[in-house]
Structures are given as structure tokens and as C-alpha cells.
Coordinates of all heavy atoms in Angstrom, one line a residue:
M22 N 19.4 -24.7 -24.0 CA 19.4 -23.3 -24.0 C 19.7 -22.7 -22.6 O 19.1 -23.1 -21.7 CB 18.1 -22.7 -24.6 CG 18.1 -21.3 -24.7 SD 16.6 -20.8 -25.6 CE 16.4 -19.2 -25.1
K23 N 20.7 -21.8 -22.6 CA 21.1 -21.2 -21.3 C 20.1 -20.2 -20.9 O 19.7 -19.3 -21.7 CB 22.4 -20.6 -21.5 CG 23.0 -20.1 -20.2 CD 24.4 -19.5 -20.5 CE 24.9 -18.9 -19.3 NZ 26.2 -18.2 -19.5
P24 N 19.6 -20.2 -19.6 CA 18.7 -19.2 -19.2 C 19.4 -17.8 -19.1 O 20.6 -17.7 -19.0 CB 18.3 -19.6 -17.8 CG 19.4 -20.5 -17.3 CD 20.0 -21.1 -18.6
P25 N 18.6 -16.7 -19.3 CA 19.2 -15.4 -19.2 C 19.8 -15.1 -17.9 O 19.3 -15.6 -16.9 CB 18.0 -14.5 -19.6 CG 16.8 -15.3 -19.3 CD 17.2 -16.7 -19.5
E26 N 20.8 -14.3 -17.9 CA 21.4 -13.8 -16.6 C 20.5 -12.8 -15.9 O 19.8 -12.0 -16.6 CB 22.7 -13.1 -16.9 CG 23.8 -14.0 -17.5 CD 24.3 -15.0 -16.5 OE1 24.4 -14.6 -15.3 OE2 24.6 -16.2 -16.8
P27 N 20.4 -12.9 -14.6 CA 19.6 -11.9 -13.9 C 20.2 -10.5 -14.0 O 21.4 -10.3 -14.2 CB 19.7 -12.4 -12.4 CG 20.9 -13.3 -12.3 CD 21.1 -13.8 -13.7
A28 N 19.3 -9.5 -14.0 CA 19.8 -8.1 -14.1 C 20.6 -7.8 -12.9 O 20.5 -8.3 -11.8 CB 18.6 -7.2 -14.2
R29 N 21.6 -6.9 -13.1 CA 22.4 -6.5 -12.0 C 21.9 -5.3 -11.3 O 22.7 -4.3 -11.0 CB 23.9 -6.3 -12.5 CG 24.5 -7.6 -13.0 CD 25.9 -7.4 -13.4 NE 26.4 -8.6 -14.0 CZ 27.2 -8.7 -14.9 NH1 27.8 -7.7 -15.4 NH2 27.6 -9.9 -15.4
A30 N 20.7 -5.3 -11.1 CA 20.0 -4.1 -10.4 C 20.5 -4.0 -9.0 O 20.6 -5.0 -8.3 CB 18.5 -4.2 -10.5
R31 N 20.8 -2.8 -8.6 CA 21.1 -2.6 -7.2 C 20.1 -1.5 -6.6 O 20.2 -0.4 -7.0 CB 22.5 -2.1 -7.0 CG 23.6 -3.0 -7.5 CD 25.0 -2.6 -7.0 NE 26.0 -3.4 -7.6 CZ 26.2 -4.7 -7.5 NH1 25.4 -5.4 -6.7 NH2 27.2 -5.3 -8.1
P32 N 19.2 -2.0 -5.8 CA 18.3 -1.0 -5.2 C 19.0 0.1 -4.4 O 20.0 -0.2 -3.8 CB 17.3 -1.9 -4.4 CG 18.1 -3.1 -4.1 CD 19.1 -3.3 -5.2
G33 N 18.3 1.2 -4.4 CA 18.9 2.4 -3.6 C 18.6 2.1 -2.1 O 18.2 1.1 -1.7
E34 N 18.8 3.2 -1.4 CA 18.7 3.2 0.1 C 17.2 2.9 0.5 O 16.3 3.4 -0.2 CB 19.1 4.5 0.7 CG 20.6 4.7 0.6 CD 21.4 3.8 1.4 OE1 21.0 3.6 2.6 OE2 22.4 3.2 0.9
T35 N 17.1 2.1 1.5 CA 15.7 1.9 2.0 C 15.3 3.1 2.8 O 16.1 3.9 3.2 CB 15.7 0.6 2.9 OG1 16.6 0.8 4.0 CG2 16.0 -0.6 2.1
C36 N 14.0 3.1 3.1 CA 13.5 4.1 4.0 C 12.5 3.4 5.0 O 12.2 2.2 4.8 CB 12.7 5.3 3.3 SG 11.2 4.8 2.5
T37 N 12.0 4.2 6.0 CA 11.1 3.6 6.9 C 9.8 4.3 6.9 O 9.8 5.6 6.6 CB 11.6 3.5 8.3 OG1 11.9 4.8 8.8 CG2 12.8 2.6 8.4
V38 N 8.7 3.6 7.0 CA 7.3 4.2 7.2 C 6.7 3.4 8.3 O 7.3 2.5 8.8 CB 6.5 4.0 5.9 CG1 7.2 4.7 4.7 CG2 6.3 2.5 5.6
T39 N 5.5 3.9 8.7 CA 4.8 3.1 9.7 C 3.4 2.7 9.1 O 2.8 3.4 8.3 CB 4.5 3.9 11.0 OG1 3.7 5.0 10.8 CG2 5.8 4.3 11.7
F40 N 3.0 1.5 9.5 CA 1.7 1.0 9.2 C 1.0 0.6 10.5 O 1.4 -0.3 11.2 CB 1.8 -0.2 8.2 CG 0.4 -0.8 8.0 CD1 -0.6 -0.1 7.3 CD2 0.1 -2.1 8.5 CE1 -1.8 -0.7 7.1 CE2 -1.1 -2.7 8.3 CZ -2.1 -2.0 7.6
D41 N -0.1 1.3 10.8 CA -0.8 1.1 12.1 C 0.2 1.0 13.3 O 0.1 0.2 14.1 CB -1.6 -0.2 12.0 CG -2.8 0.0 11.1 OD1 -3.1 1.2 10.7 OD2 -3.4 -1.0 10.7
G42 N 1.2 1.9 13.2 CA 2.2 2.0 14.3 C 3.4 1.0 14.2 O 4.3 1.2 15.0
R43 N 3.3 0.2 13.2 CA 4.4 -0.8 13.0 C 5.4 -0.2 12.0 O 5.0 0.2 11.0 CB 3.8 -2.1 12.5 CG 4.8 -3.2 12.1 CD 4.0 -4.4 11.6 NE 4.8 -5.2 10.8 CZ 4.3 -6.0 9.9 NH1 3.0 -6.2 9.8 NH2 5.1 -6.7 9.1
T44 N 6.7 -0.2 12.4 CA 7.7 0.3 11.5 C 8.0 -0.7 10.4 O 8.3 -1.9 10.7 CB 9.0 0.7 12.2 OG1 8.7 1.7 13.2 CG2 10.1 1.2 11.3
L45 N 8.0 -0.2 9.1 CA 8.3 -1.1 8.0 C 9.5 -0.5 7.2 O 9.6 0.8 7.1 CB 7.2 -1.2 7.0 CG 5.8 -1.5 7.5 CD1 4.8 -1.5 6.4 CD2 5.9 -2.9 8.2
T46 N 10.4 -1.3 6.8 CA 11.5 -0.9 5.9 C 11.2 -1.1 4.5 O 10.7 -2.2 4.1 CB 12.8 -1.6 6.3 OG1 13.1 -1.4 7.7 CG2 14.0 -1.2 5.4
V47 N 11.3 -0.1 3.6 CA 10.8 -0.1 2.3 C 11.9 0.2 1.3 O 12.7 1.1 1.5 CB 9.6 0.9 2.1 CG1 9.0 0.8 0.7 CG2 8.6 0.6 3.2
L48 N 11.9 -0.6 0.2 CA 12.9 -0.3 -0.9 C 12.4 0.9 -1.7 O 11.2 1.2 -1.8 CB 12.9 -1.5 -1.9 CG 13.7 -2.7 -1.3 CD1 13.5 -3.9 -2.2 CD2 15.2 -2.4 -1.2
P49 N 13.2 1.7 -2.3 CA 12.8 2.9 -3.0 C 12.0 2.5 -4.2 O 12.2 1.5 -4.8 CB 14.1 3.5 -3.4 CG 15.1 2.4 -3.4 CD 14.7 1.5 -2.3
G50 N 11.1 3.4 -4.6 CA 10.2 3.2 -5.8 C 9.0 2.4 -5.6 O 8.3 2.2 -6.5
R51 N 8.8 1.9 -4.4 CA 7.6 1.0 -4.2 C 6.4 1.8 -3.9 O 6.4 2.9 -3.4 CB 7.9 0.1 -3.0 CG 8.9 -1.0 -3.4 CD 8.7 -2.2 -2.5 NE 9.5 -3.3 -3.1 CZ 9.8 -4.4 -2.4 NH1 9.5 -4.6 -1.2 NH2 10.4 -5.4 -3.1
T52 N 5.3 1.3 -4.3 CA 4.0 1.9 -4.0 C 3.7 1.4 -2.5 O 4.3 0.5 -2.0 CB 2.9 1.4 -4.9 OG1 2.7 0.0 -4.7 CG2 3.1 1.8 -6.3
V53 N 2.7 2.1 -2.0 CA 2.2 1.7 -0.6 C 1.8 0.3 -0.6 O 2.1 -0.5 0.3 CB 1.0 2.6 -0.2 CG1 0.4 2.1 1.1 CG2 1.6 4.1 0.0
A54 N 1.0 -0.2 -1.7 CA 0.6 -1.6 -1.7 C 1.8 -2.5 -1.8 O 1.8 -3.5 -1.1 CB -0.3 -1.8 -3.0
A55 N 2.8 -2.2 -2.6 CA 3.9 -3.1 -2.7 C 4.7 -3.2 -1.4 O 5.2 -4.2 -1.0 CB 4.9 -2.6 -3.8
A56 N 4.8 -2.0 -0.7 CA 5.4 -2.0 0.6 C 4.7 -2.9 1.6 O 5.3 -3.6 2.4 CB 5.6 -0.6 1.1
L57 N 3.4 -2.8 1.6 CA 2.6 -3.5 2.6 C 2.6 -5.0 2.2 O 2.8 -5.9 3.1 CB 1.1 -3.1 2.6 CG 0.9 -1.6 3.1 CD1 -0.5 -1.2 3.0 CD2 1.4 -1.5 4.5
W58 N 2.6 -5.4 1.0 CA 2.7 -6.8 0.6 C 4.0 -7.3 1.0 O 4.1 -8.5 1.5 CB 2.5 -6.9 -1.0 CG 1.2 -7.2 -1.4 CD1 0.0 -7.3 -0.7 CD2 0.8 -7.4 -2.8 NE1 -1.0 -7.5 -1.5 CE2 -0.6 -7.6 -2.8 CE3 1.5 -7.4 -4.0 CZ2 -1.3 -7.8 -3.9 CZ3 0.8 -7.6 -5.2 CH2 -0.6 -7.8 -5.1
A59 N 5.1 -6.6 0.8 CA 6.4 -7.0 1.1 C 6.5 -7.3 2.6 O 7.4 -8.1 3.1 CB 7.5 -6.0 0.7
A60 N 5.7 -6.6 3.4 CA 5.7 -6.8 4.9 C 4.7 -7.9 5.3 O 4.5 -8.1 6.5 CB 5.4 -5.5 5.6
G61 N 4.1 -8.5 4.3 CA 3.1 -9.6 4.6 C 1.7 -9.1 4.9 O 0.9 -9.9 5.4
V62 N 1.4 -7.8 4.6 CA 0.1 -7.3 4.9 C -0.7 -7.4 3.6 O -0.3 -6.8 2.6 CB 0.2 -5.8 5.3 CG1 -1.2 -5.2 5.6 CG2 1.0 -5.7 6.6
T63 N -1.9 -8.0 3.6 CA -2.6 -8.1 2.3 C -4.0 -7.5 2.4 O -4.7 -7.4 1.4 CB -2.8 -9.6 2.0 OG1 -3.5 -10.3 3.1 CG2 -1.5 -10.3 1.7
A64 N -4.4 -7.0 3.6 CA -5.7 -6.2 3.7 C -5.4 -5.0 4.6 O -4.8 -5.1 5.6 CB -6.7 -7.1 4.3
W65 N -5.9 -3.8 4.1 CA -5.7 -2.6 4.9 C -6.9 -1.7 4.8 O -6.8 -0.5 5.0 CB -4.5 -1.9 4.4 CG -4.4 -1.7 2.9 CD1 -5.0 -0.8 2.2 CD2 -3.7 -2.6 2.0 NE1 -4.7 -1.0 0.8 CE2 -3.9 -2.1 0.7 CE3 -2.8 -3.7 2.2 CZ2 -3.3 -2.7 -0.4 CZ3 -2.3 -4.3 1.1 CH2 -2.5 -3.7 -0.2
R66 N -8.1 -2.2 4.5 CA -9.3 -1.5 4.5 C -10.4 -2.4 4.8 O -10.3 -3.6 4.6 CB -9.5 -0.9 3.1 CG -10.8 -0.1 3.0 CD -11.0 0.5 1.6 NE -11.4 -0.4 0.5 CZ -12.7 -0.6 0.2 NH1 -13.6 -0.1 0.9 NH2 -13.0 -1.5 -0.8
S67 N -11.5 -1.9 5.4 CA -12.7 -2.6 5.6 C -13.8 -1.9 4.9 O -13.9 -0.7 4.8 CB -13.0 -2.8 7.1 OG -13.2 -1.6 7.7
T68 N -14.8 -2.7 4.4 CA -15.9 -2.1 3.6 C -16.9 -1.4 4.5 O -16.9 -1.7 5.7 CB -16.6 -3.2 2.8 OG1 -17.1 -4.2 3.7 CG2 -15.7 -3.8 1.8
R69 N -17.6 -0.4 4.0 CA -18.5 0.4 4.7 C -19.7 -0.5 5.3 O -20.0 -0.4 6.5 CB -19.2 1.5 3.9 CG -18.3 2.6 3.7 CD -18.9 3.6 2.8 NE -19.1 3.1 1.5 CZ -19.7 3.6 0.5 NH1 -20.3 4.8 0.7 NH2 -19.7 3.1 -0.7
G70 N -20.3 -1.3 4.5 CA -21.5 -2.1 4.9 C -21.2 -3.2 5.9 O -21.7 -3.2 7.0
T71 N -20.3 -4.1 5.5 CA -20.2 -5.3 6.3 C -18.8 -5.4 7.0 O -18.6 -6.4 7.7 CB -20.3 -6.5 5.4 OG1 -19.3 -6.5 4.3 CG2 -21.7 -6.6 4.7
G72 N -17.9 -4.4 6.7 CA -16.6 -4.5 7.4 C -15.7 -5.6 6.9 O -14.8 -6.0 7.6
R73 N -15.9 -6.0 5.7 CA -15.1 -7.1 5.1 C -13.7 -6.5 4.7 O -13.6 -5.4 4.3 CB -15.7 -7.7 3.9 CG -17.1 -8.3 4.3 CD -17.6 -9.3 3.5 NE -16.6 -10.2 2.9 CZ -16.7 -11.5 3.0 NH1 -17.7 -12.1 3.6 NH2 -15.8 -12.3 2.4
P74 N -12.6 -7.3 4.8 CA -11.3 -6.8 4.5 C -11.1 -6.7 3.0 O -11.6 -7.4 2.2 CB -10.4 -7.9 5.1 CG -11.2 -9.1 5.1 CD -12.7 -8.7 5.3
R75 N -10.3 -5.7 2.7 CA -9.9 -5.4 1.3 C -8.5 -5.0 1.2 O -7.9 -4.4 2.1 CB -10.8 -4.3 0.7 CG -12.2 -4.6 0.5 CD -12.4 -5.6 -0.6 NE -13.8 -5.9 -0.9 CZ -14.5 -6.8 -0.3 NH1 -14.0 -7.6 0.6 NH2 -15.8 -7.0 -0.6
G76 N -7.9 -5.3 0.0 CA -6.5 -4.9 -0.3 C -6.4 -4.7 -1.8 O -7.3 -4.0 -2.3
V77 N -5.4 -5.2 -2.4 CA -5.3 -5.0 -3.9 C -6.2 -5.9 -4.6 O -6.3 -7.1 -4.3 CB -3.8 -5.2 -4.3 CG1 -3.7 -5.3 -5.8 CG2 -3.0 -4.1 -3.8
F78 N -6.9 -5.4 -5.6 CA -7.7 -6.3 -6.5 C -7.1 -6.1 -8.0 O -6.6 -7.0 -8.5 CB -9.2 -5.9 -6.5 CG -10.0 -6.8 -7.3 CD1 -10.2 -8.1 -7.0 CD2 -10.7 -6.3 -8.5 CE1 -11.0 -9.0 -7.8 CE2 -11.4 -7.1 -9.3 CZ -11.6 -8.4 -8.9
C79 N -7.3 -4.9 -8.5 CA -6.8 -4.7 -9.9 C -5.3 -4.4 -10.0 O -4.6 -4.8 -10.9 CB -7.6 -3.6 -10.6 SG -7.2 -2.0 -10.1
G80 N -4.8 -3.6 -9.0 CA -3.4 -3.2 -9.0 C -3.0 -2.2 -10.0 O -1.8 -1.8 -10.1
I81 N -4.0 -1.6 -10.7 CA -3.7 -0.5 -11.7 C -4.5 0.7 -11.5 O -4.7 1.5 -12.4 CB -3.9 -1.1 -13.1 CG1 -5.3 -1.6 -13.3 CG2 -2.8 -2.1 -13.4 CD1 -5.6 -2.0 -14.8
G82 N -5.1 0.9 -10.3 CA -5.8 2.2 -10.1 C -7.2 2.3 -10.6 O -7.8 3.4 -10.6
V83 N -7.9 1.2 -10.9 CA -9.2 1.2 -11.5 C -10.3 0.9 -10.5 O -11.3 1.5 -10.5 CB -9.3 0.2 -12.7 CG1 -10.7 0.2 -13.3 CG2 -8.3 0.7 -13.8
C84 N -10.1 -0.1 -9.7 CA -11.2 -0.6 -8.8 C -11.4 0.1 -7.5 O -12.5 0.0 -6.9 CB -10.9 -2.1 -8.6 SG -9.6 -2.4 -7.4
F85 N -10.4 0.8 -7.0 CA -10.5 1.5 -5.7 C -10.7 0.6 -4.5 O -11.2 1.0 -3.5 CB -11.6 2.6 -5.8 CG -11.3 3.8 -6.6 CD1 -11.3 3.7 -8.0 CD2 -11.0 5.0 -6.1 CE1 -11.0 4.7 -8.8 CE2 -10.7 6.1 -6.8 CZ -10.7 5.9 -8.2
D86 N -10.4 -0.7 -4.7 CA -10.5 -1.6 -3.6 C -9.4 -1.4 -2.5 O -9.5 -1.7 -1.4 CB -10.4 -3.1 -4.1 CG -11.7 -3.8 -3.8 OD1 -12.7 -3.2 -3.6 OD2 -11.6 -5.1 -3.9
C87 N -8.3 -0.8 -3.0 CA -7.1 -0.7 -2.1 C -7.0 0.6 -1.3 O -5.9 0.9 -0.9 CB -5.8 -0.8 -3.0 SG -5.7 0.5 -4.2
L88 N -8.1 1.3 -1.1 CA -8.0 2.6 -0.4 C -7.4 2.5 1.0 O -7.7 1.5 1.7 CB -9.4 3.2 -0.3 CG -10.1 3.5 -1.7 CD1 -11.5 4.0 -1.4 CD2 -9.3 4.4 -2.5
V89 N -6.6 3.4 1.3 CA -5.9 3.4 2.6 C -5.7 4.9 3.0 O -5.8 5.8 2.2 CB -4.5 2.7 2.3 CG1 -3.6 3.5 1.4 CG2 -3.8 2.4 3.7
T90 N -5.4 5.1 4.3 CA -5.1 6.4 4.8 C -3.6 6.6 4.9 O -2.9 5.8 5.5 CB -5.8 6.6 6.2 OG1 -7.2 6.4 6.0 CG2 -5.5 8.0 6.7
V91 N -3.1 7.7 4.2 CA -1.7 8.0 4.2 C -1.5 9.4 4.7 O -2.1 10.3 4.1 CB -1.1 7.8 2.8 CG1 0.4 8.2 2.8 CG2 -1.3 6.4 2.2
N92 N -0.8 9.6 5.8 CA -0.5 10.9 6.4 C -1.8 11.6 6.6 O -1.9 12.8 6.4 CB 0.4 11.7 5.4 CG 1.8 11.0 5.3 OD1 2.3 10.4 6.2 ND2 2.3 11.1 4.1
G93 N -2.8 10.9 7.2 CA -4.0 11.5 7.5 C -5.0 11.7 6.4 O -6.1 12.2 6.6
R94 N -4.6 11.4 5.2 CA -5.5 11.6 4.0 C -6.2 10.3 3.7 O -5.5 9.4 3.2 CB -4.8 12.2 2.8 CG -4.2 13.6 3.0 CD -3.6 14.1 1.8 NE -4.5 14.2 0.7 CZ -4.2 14.1 -0.6 NH1 -3.0 13.9 -0.9 NH2 -5.1 14.2 -1.5
P95 N -7.5 10.1 3.9 CA -8.1 8.9 3.5 C -8.3 8.7 2.0 O -8.1 9.7 1.3 CB -9.5 9.0 4.2 CG -9.7 10.4 4.3 CD -8.4 11.1 4.4
N96 N -8.7 7.5 1.6 CA -9.0 7.2 0.2 C -7.9 7.4 -0.8 O -8.1 7.8 -1.9 CB -10.2 8.1 -0.2 CG -11.4 7.8 0.7 OD1 -11.8 6.6 0.9 ND2 -12.1 8.8 1.2
Q97 N -6.7 7.1 -0.4 CA -5.5 7.0 -1.3 C -5.4 5.6 -1.9 O -5.5 4.6 -1.1 CB -4.3 7.4 -0.5 CG -4.3 8.7 0.2 CD -4.6 9.9 -0.8 OE1 -3.8 10.1 -1.7 NE2 -5.7 10.5 -0.6
R98 N -5.3 5.5 -3.2 CA -5.1 4.2 -3.8 C -3.7 3.7 -3.6 O -2.8 4.2 -4.1 CB -5.5 4.3 -5.3 CG -7.0 4.4 -5.6 CD -7.3 4.6 -7.0 NE -7.0 6.0 -7.3 CZ -7.1 6.6 -8.5 NH1 -7.5 5.8 -9.5 NH2 -6.8 7.8 -8.7
A99 N -3.6 2.7 -2.7 CA -2.3 2.1 -2.3 C -1.5 1.6 -3.5 O -0.3 1.6 -3.5 CB -2.5 1.0 -1.3
C100 N -2.2 1.2 -4.6 CA -1.5 0.6 -5.7 C -0.9 1.7 -6.6 O -0.1 1.3 -7.5 CB -2.4 -0.3 -6.6 SG -3.8 0.6 -7.4
L101 N -1.2 2.9 -6.4 CA -0.7 4.0 -7.2 C 0.2 5.0 -6.4 O 1.1 5.6 -7.0 CB -1.8 4.9 -7.8 CG -2.8 4.2 -8.8 CD1 -3.8 5.2 -9.3 CD2 -2.0 3.5 -9.9
V102 N 0.0 5.1 -5.1 CA 0.7 6.1 -4.3 C 2.1 5.6 -4.0 O 2.3 4.5 -3.4 CB -0.1 6.4 -3.0 CG1 0.7 7.4 -2.1 CG2 -1.4 7.0 -3.4
P103 N 3.2 6.3 -4.4 CA 4.5 5.9 -4.1 C 4.8 6.2 -2.6 O 4.3 7.2 -2.0 CB 5.4 6.8 -5.0 CG 4.6 7.9 -5.4 CD 3.1 7.5 -5.3
V104 N 5.5 5.3 -2.0 CA 5.9 5.5 -0.6 C 7.0 6.6 -0.5 O 7.8 6.7 -1.4 CB 6.5 4.2 0.0 CG1 7.4 4.5 1.2 CG2 5.5 3.2 0.3
R105 N 6.8 7.4 0.5 CA 7.8 8.5 0.8 C 8.3 8.2 2.2 O 7.6 7.8 3.1 CB 7.2 9.9 0.7 CG 6.8 10.2 -0.8 CD 6.1 11.5 -0.8 NE 5.0 11.5 0.1 CZ 4.1 12.4 0.3 NH1 4.3 13.6 -0.3 NH2 3.1 12.3 1.1
P106 N 9.6 8.5 2.4 CA 10.2 8.3 3.8 C 9.3 9.0 4.9 O 8.9 10.1 4.7 CB 11.6 8.9 3.7 CG 11.9 8.9 2.2 CD 10.6 9.1 1.5
G107 N 9.1 8.2 5.9 CA 8.3 8.8 7.0 C 6.8 8.7 6.9 O 6.1 9.2 7.8
D108 N 6.3 8.2 5.8 CA 4.9 8.1 5.7 C 4.2 7.4 6.9 O 4.8 6.4 7.4 CB 4.5 7.4 4.4 CG 4.5 8.3 3.2 OD1 4.6 9.5 3.3 OD2 4.4 7.7 2.0
V109 N 3.1 7.9 7.3 CA 2.3 7.3 8.3 C 1.0 6.7 7.6 O 0.1 7.4 7.2 CB 1.9 8.3 9.4 CG1 1.0 7.6 10.4 CG2 3.1 8.9 10.0
I110 N 1.0 5.3 7.5 CA 0.0 4.6 6.8 C -0.9 3.9 7.8 O -0.4 3.3 8.7 CB 0.6 3.6 5.8 CG1 1.6 4.3 4.9 CG2 -0.5 2.8 5.0 CD1 2.6 3.3 4.2
R111 N -2.2 4.1 7.6 CA -3.2 3.5 8.5 C -4.2 2.7 7.8 O -4.7 3.1 6.7 CB -3.8 4.6 9.4 CG -2.9 5.2 10.4 CD -3.6 6.1 11.4 NE -4.3 7.2 10.7 CZ -5.6 7.4 10.7 NH1 -6.4 6.5 11.2 NH2 -6.1 8.4 10.1
T112 N -4.7 1.6 8.4 CA -5.8 0.9 7.9 C -7.0 1.9 7.8 O -7.2 2.7 8.7 CB -6.2 -0.2 8.9 OG1 -5.1 -1.2 8.9 CG2 -7.5 -0.9 8.5
Q113 N -7.8 1.7 6.8 CA -9.0 2.6 6.6 C -10.2 1.9 6.9 O -10.5 0.8 6.3 CB -9.0 3.2 5.2 CG -10.2 4.1 5.0 CD -10.1 4.9 3.7 OE1 -9.0 5.4 3.4 NE2 -11.2 5.0 3.0
E114 N -11.0 2.4 7.8 CA -12.3 1.8 8.2 C -13.4 2.6 7.4 O -13.5 3.8 7.5 CB -12.6 1.9 9.7 CG -11.5 1.4 10.6 CD -11.4 -0.1 10.5 OE1 -12.4 -0.8 10.1 OE2 -10.3 -0.6 10.8
G115 N -14.2 1.9 6.6 CA -15.3 2.5 5.9 C -14.8 3.6 4.9 O -13.9 3.3 4.2
T116 N -15.4 4.8 5.0 CA -15.0 5.9 4.2 C -13.7 6.5 4.6 O -13.1 7.3 3.9 CB -16.1 7.0 4.1 OG1 -16.2 7.5 5.4 CG2 -17.4 6.4 3.6
G117 N -13.3 6.2 5.8 CA -12.0 6.8 6.3 C -12.3 8.2 6.9 O -11.3 8.9 7.3
R118 N -13.5 8.6 6.9 CA -13.9 9.9 7.5 C -14.7 9.7 8.7 O -15.3 8.7 8.9 CB -14.6 10.8 6.4 CG -13.8 10.9 5.1 CD -14.6 11.8 4.2 NE -14.0 11.8 2.9 CZ -12.9 12.4 2.5 NH1 -12.2 13.0 3.4 NH2 -12.5 12.3 1.3
D119 N -14.8 10.8 9.5 CA -15.5 10.7 10.8 C -17.0 10.7 10.6 O -17.8 10.4 11.5 CB -15.1 11.9 11.7 CG -13.7 11.8 12.1 OD1 -13.1 10.6 12.1 OD2 -13.1 12.8 12.5
D120 N -17.5 11.1 9.4 CA -18.9 11.3 9.2 C -19.6 10.0 8.7 O -20.8 10.1 8.3 CB -19.2 12.4 8.2 CG -18.5 12.2 6.9 OD1 -17.8 11.2 6.7 OD2 -18.8 13.0 6.0
D121 N -19.0 8.9 8.7 CA -19.8 7.7 8.2 C -20.3 6.9 9.3 O -20.2 7.1 10.4 CB -18.9 6.8 7.3 CG -17.7 6.2 8.0 OD1 -16.7 6.9 8.2 OD2 -17.8 5.0 8.4
Ligands
FES229 S1 -6.1 -2.3 -6.5 FE1 -7.6 -1.5 -7.8 S2 -7.4 0.7 -7.6 FE2 -5.8 -0.1 -6.4

């Protein structure tokens, strides 16, 4: 049996964002989590209590493990938030707010 032909998808123009000051090139339509994974980043938050690293767990917006700071707004779920050109993405420490 012949394997199916690959789709002839042609991705649109890439954009750039920054992650902790590092410039990343991102394909259109990706979430923040997908963009970070594609750049080899698998953890972008530390827990409040013990400071353990966290990234994607469920990947569908349920567990809140993937919280990240995007454009100064903490607690954004990286697995749901689409990347926009010029986004400034930062690792989130604890609650991501100054009061913790
Ligand atoms: S990975 Fe579970 S909410 Fe994002």
C-alpha cells in the first residue's frame, strides 16, 4: 500500500517575538507554547513554593501549568495564547506579580 502524499501546505510569513530577550522567529498560527517548543524551550515558569520548572502539561488549557508573562501580563496560558508579531514573552516566577 502506498503511503499518503504529504499535504502541500505552505506556511505564511514568519514573525519575530522575544523570549527573555532572545529573538525567536515564529511561523504564523502558533501558540506561545508551540513557538517556545520550536525554539527548544520546554520550561518557562517556576512554581511559587519550590521554584520548580514548568512548561506544557495538558496542552489544552486545563491544568494552568504553562503560565507565562506576555507583554507584561502574567498568568497567560501559553498553550492557548496565539503569538502576535512583536510579543515580549518572559519567564514567569511564582505568581508573576510583585506581591508574592
Ligand atoms: S498546558 Fe495545561 S493549561 Fe496550558
Side-chain angles (χ1 to χ4, degrees):
M22 183 172 159
K23 186 177 174 185
E26 294 290 323
R29 293 187 186 146
R31 297 198 191 291
E34 292 292 313
T35 59
C36 70
T37 59
V38 300
T39 62
F40 173 67
D41 290 346
R43 174 179 157 202
T44 300
L45 308 179
T46 301
V47 182
L48 288 170
R51 288 201 165 165
T52 62
V53 169
L57 294 177
W58 268 0
V62 180
T63 57
W65 49 81
R66 177 175 79 87
S67 59
T68 59
R69 282 179 292 174
T71 59
R73 302 203 36 131
R75 292 290 185 267
V77 168
F78 184 68
C79 73
I81 57 172
V83 175
C84 73
F85 289 71
D86 245 17
C87 64
L88 298 178
V89 68
T90 299
V91 180
N92 298 326
R94 293 184 63 208
N96 300 313
Q97 304 301 300
R98 283 174 284 177
C100 67
L101 296 182
V102 175
V104 162
R105 292 175 305 178
D108 277 348
V109 177
I110 304 163
R111 288 188 301 112
T112 294
Q113 181 168 316
E114 307 292 336
T116 64
R118 302 184 192 285
D119 294 336
D120 59 352
D121 64 279

